[in-house]
Amino acid sequence: MSELFSKCRADAEAHARAEYPRESVGLVVSVRGKPAYVPCRNQSEEADHFILHPEDYAATEDLGDIIAVVHSHPDAGPEPSLHDIASHAASRMTWWIVGLKDGAATWHVMPAAGEMPLEGRVFVHGAIDCYTLVRDYYRQELGVELMDFHRKDDWWHNGESLYVDNFAKAGFVPVATPEPGDLIVMAIGSPTPCHGAIWLEGDVLLHHLYGRLSCREVYGRAYRECTTHILRYKGVLPTI
Ligand SMILES: [Zn+2]
C-alpha cells in the first residue's frame, strides 16, 4: 500500500480499536487525488459481520470518489473470510481489512475484482505496458482516472512521443524533485522519452519495462541519467 495512505490506515485502525469488539466499517474517499478515511456505521446485529449503512455510503459519495471499503477483524488476522471473498467479488470494489489479533494491526488489501495487481505483470505492448501501470496506479491508489492513448508497438521509434506530447493534456506539470506518486519519464534504449514510472517514498520506482515483469526497484543512477521529465498530476482543467 502506498505511503499516501498512511494517515488513512492510522485513522481506520483507530476506528477499528474504538469499535472493538464489534467490526468497524468505513470508506476511503479520494478528494481531488487525496485519500481520506471516513468512518461509517455498521448496521449488522451479528458480532463478526458488517453491513455498511447506506446513508453513510451516499454521504461519502458526495465527498469524492470512493476507492476502498474498509472493515476490521477484531480478534483475528486480516485474511478474508469466505463471506468476505464472496461480498468483495460482488461489490467490484477494492477492500482493505485490518486484523487486530493479539493487539497488533495487520492489513490485507483485496484489489477490485477484475483489477490486475500492480506488480508481477507480463508486458504486452499497448495493452499491459508502462502507461497501463501508471493509469492503474492512479486509479487504484489515488482514485484518479487518467486519459488513455491509443499506441502502436514501437511508437518511440516511429516519431511519436506519447509522454512528452500528451502530459500537459493529461493534467501533469513538470517539477524539479519527485514526491510520492509523481511520474518519472525516461529515455531508455531510445532517444525518445518512452518510459514512464511512478516514484514512491524511499526513492523507489514502480514501473513496467519491456520484456520484464512490473516491479518496484531503486531509482538508481542508470535510471536518473536517462530521466527526461519529473511530472506531477495537477488535474485536468475543465474544457469549455
Ligand atoms: Zn471480514
Side-chain angles (χ1 to χ4, degrees), residues 107-144:
W107 287 91
H108 183 85
V109 176
M110 304 168 80
E115 288 277 15
M116 277 181 287
L118 296 173
E119 289 172 78
R121 303 173 166 197
V122 174
F123 195 100
V124 180
H125 195 85
I128 308 173
D129 59 18
C130 65
Y131 188 59
T132 315
L133 182 68
V134 169
R135 287 189 79 221
D136 289 356
Y137 174 89
Y138 270 76
R139 188 179 59 252
Q140 290 183 28
E141 302 274 309
L142 307 176
V144 169

Side-chain angles (χ1 to χ4, degrees), residues 1-43:
M1 206 180 292
S2 155
E3 295 72 18
L4 285 160
F5 287 120
S6 12
K7 169 103 182 23
C8 280
R9 248 187 296 184
D11 291 349
E13 182 188 333
H15 183 216
R17 293 191 189 282
E19 289 293 313
Y20 185 91
R22 285 173 50 79
E23 285 195 9
S24 62
V25 59
L27 295 166
V28 178
V29 63
S30 165
V31 184
R32 292 187 305 277
K34 291 201 176 113
Y37 177 73
V38 179
C40 298
R41 286 167 288 174
N42 180 357
Q43 280 194 304

Side-chain angles (χ1 to χ4, degrees), residues 164-231:
V164 178
D165 293 347
N166 295 304
F167 73 76
K169 195 162 65 179
F172 288 83
V173 295
V175 293
T177 6
E179 284 178 10
D182 284 350
L183 177 61
I184 307 285
V185 178
M186 293 167 270
I188 294 184
S190 155
T192 306
C194 58
H195 181 61
I198 304 290
W199 190 88
L200 300 172
E201 192 80 42
D203 213 13
V204 164
L205 295 181
L206 169 68
H207 69 151
H208 199 173
L209 279 171
Y210 179 79
R212 285 177 45 190
L213 300 177
S214 61
C215 67
R216 282 168 197 255
E217 63 177 318
V218 172
Y219 184 35
R221 206 178 84 186
Y223 288 132
R224 277 174 204 285
E225 283 175 359
C226 58
T227 295
T228 60
H229 298 73
I230 303 171
L231 301 174

Side-chain angles (χ1 to χ4, degrees), residues 23 71 73 81 84:
E23 285 195 9
H71 79 281
H73 288 171
S81 64
D84 286 338

Side-chain angles (χ1 to χ4, degrees), residues 54-92:
E55 282 172 18
D56 294 352
Y57 190 94
T60 309
E61 228 176 4
D62 291 340
L63 302 173
D65 299 315
I66 295 173
I67 55 175
V69 178
V70 189
H71 79 281
S72 70
H73 288 171
D75 284 306
E79 298 74 25
S81 64
L82 283 178
H83 192 272
D84 286 338
I85 291 168
S87 312
H88 163 261
S91 76
R92 304 193 69 80

